[in-house]
Amino acid sequence: MLLKQLKLTNFRQFIGEQTVEFAINEEKNVTVIMGENGSGKTTLAQAFTWCLFGDTDFEDKVVFNRSFERKMLPNQEAVVRVELSLVHNGIDYTIIREQLHKKDSQGRLKGNNTTISIAYKRNGQQEFVKYLEVDPLLKQILPKELSRYFFFDGERIGNMSKEIKKGKSQDFAKAVRGLLGLNAFISALEHLKPTSKYGVIGSYNDSYDSKSDQRISQYTTEIEKAQEEVDRIDLRLDEINNEIEKAQEQADKINALLLTMAETEKLQQDKMKLVNSMGKTRQARSSAMGSILKQFNSNYSTYFAKSLVLRTLEELSQASKLDKGIPDMHARTIEFLIKRATCVCGAKIEFGNDAYKELNKALEYLPPQSIGMSINQFVVESELKIKSSNNLFESITDQYKAIRDYESELEQCTADIQLIEKQIGDTKRIGHLQQDLSRYEKIKRDRINELKEINQRKGSLQTTRDRFISERAELTLRDEKNKKIEIYKAYAQFMYDELNKVYKKNEDETRQKLERYVNEIFRSIYQGGMSITVDERYNIQVLVEDENGYSDDVETSTAQSISVIFAFISGIIKMARENGSQQDGENKLLDSEPYPLVMDAPLSAFDRRRIKSVCDALPKIAEQVIIFIKDTDGELAEEYMGAMVGKRYLFSKKNEFETYLIPR
Amino acid sequence: MNSTNEIEIDVKKAERLLRKLILMEKQNLRTKQFNDAEMVKKIKKAIEEEAECY
């Protein structure tokens, strides 16, 4: 596949109709489209994906130009369209995807589903691919599983890096095999496949003449039934294997996390100590606060009145008459004695005698006539209270100091706990992780058991099926017409078996060659003691080799990840290109297409030296290179690829909703 | 000769058929002339012609 032209109509910020033509000249196979950040580089790269697969990586799935939308009148219709012209297998195709939009009477824009059509030229006449054949053709032109590698987005490298290393589907492996030139083998095997009802062997099974023996058709029905169940089991086996792989992957991740958490067990214990200590400190602070309040409540009045009371006592000490009273004596006592007419000493009290006069004289100094006694009592009480409040200030100060110390201790503990939590992460997750781990391990055990059970079932079904096949063959060989069918089937079976052997051998050799190429390209971009392996499912593993020759899987940096992806896809492109240009023409068995490399911001993670390595390598490896690049990297790319650049464009951004592509 | 289920086939013929089959598939991948059902018919026809040819 080589890309010739991309025509956009109102696709996101590319307003109106805009066309980009790509360099396809062998000597000048590079197209550089340059623009500042936010000018539309990624959008243009996504236009390919939208055209081929009807989707983009943007969160906003509306691709209709906003500026054009504003100008539309109610009930007006307009389309967003992307037309991609390309050459595949020597045929010119134009892939057209469009989406009709209409503004309703209230001015809201509504988009229909997208539609796709593929036009091609046969004998100079333009024809359209039949609707049902569009998808299979797209799969051949560019399988969706591989599209993100050919339409490479340097800014979304993280996900690709994970994806390329693990967890690729069977579809991905199939797509790679197709690109590596094994498509004809795959198609032939599909057409011969003995287990398919619609394949060559299956259709022979349906064409037996049962007139000679009714049991032939009974056997055929039983064989088909058994085969259908075997097919269902095969599908389930695939699912189970994927589920086991995923569960194992999750369990490994959790185990790694738990291991890290076990290392922080000591920190966890320290944290618990701090938490306990904080509890005790809070309690101590609380009782100190209570004590302060209690002391304050009992003594505050005296404390605040102290100065006043002291001055009062001083004043009172200077009043001489206040000390003439009899302590604890009241006027009522005297009146009682006079009325009783006998004093406490036994003397008679009579009106006018000396005792009577003395007692009446004492009344002048006793309450209520005199306050001298009350004042005396006040003085005594005041002195006592003042004495008791003497230590209040010191006591409260000491306790307040203790509270301040408790506060500081609590603050310190809180800071220490935060620090520990930061180090050990969210420890609450440990419980959940253990639960998840058990769940994944259970899934694994269940699936392994299911695997055993259905494998046994499959074996028994296959035995039954083969027995019926053999019994049917015995019957069919008795009839001349059916015997012929058996002969044709035997040829088809032989071809299928041989083809499978050749395919597996070719596939193995192709994969080894791919691994060699990927390593060569990787080393030319990223120097260092690293190597790449490609397994049977085309999963990539990056190994670092130490001086003793041992190697281990490693986590890669962004620049390394991009280099790995570059190397992987460039390796595929290089092999596809080689297979496509082999000299034995029509007779060669492996056959594939050259492929372009469309890259959005491919150089952003590289340093100057690696940009040069990449720029040197890519135009030589890929048949066509299309780069969307920011101005600074673009200048470097043009400097290094110089002579290979055939087309140059510039993104001219007018505003957020209007960008124009200008040839340079 | 090779025997499958007591039926003998001519290996040379089968190998010739195999090569023809791959080239047919290659050609069809390029031209998209035949769909799967048509290709199955064509392969059957090729097998029958080759097997009948003594």
Side-chain angles (χ1 to χ4, degrees), chain A residues 11-12 42-43 45-50 53-63 144 147-149 151-157 159-160 163 600:
Chain A
F11 185 80
R12 289 179 65 103
T42 303
T43 302
Q46 290 287 313
F48 288 97
T49 319
W50 191 77
F53 310 112
D55 198 12
T56 64
D57 286 342
F58 294 120
E59 276 178 28
D60 180 4
K61 297 293 175 193
V62 178
V63 294
K144 194 175 180 187
S147 67
R148 62 177 65 234
Y149 298 94
F151 298 108
F152 173 92
D153 184 347
E155 283 162 1
R156 292 188 174 90
I157 202 77
N159 289 340
M160 279 177 78
E163 202 180 275
D600 177 18

Side-chain angles (χ1 to χ4, degrees), chain A residues 395-413:
Chain A
S395 172
I396 287 185
T397 308
D398 287 348
Q399 289 187 66
Y400 185 68
K401 267 185 196 163
I403 288 173
R404 292 285 304 176
D405 288 345
Y406 294 142
E407 296 281 0
S408 312
E409 207 178 311
L410 287 171
E411 275 173 24
Q412 187 56 49
C413 283

Side-chain angles (χ1 to χ4, degrees), chain A residues 218-235:
Chain A
Q218 284 167 11
Y219 281 134
T220 304
T221 312
E222 289 301 323
I223 291 164
E224 277 174 8
K225 256 167 66 182
Q227 186 56 50
E228 274 167 20
E229 201 173 337
V230 168
D231 290 345
R232 268 199 302 276
I233 288 175
D234 280 339
L235 283 176

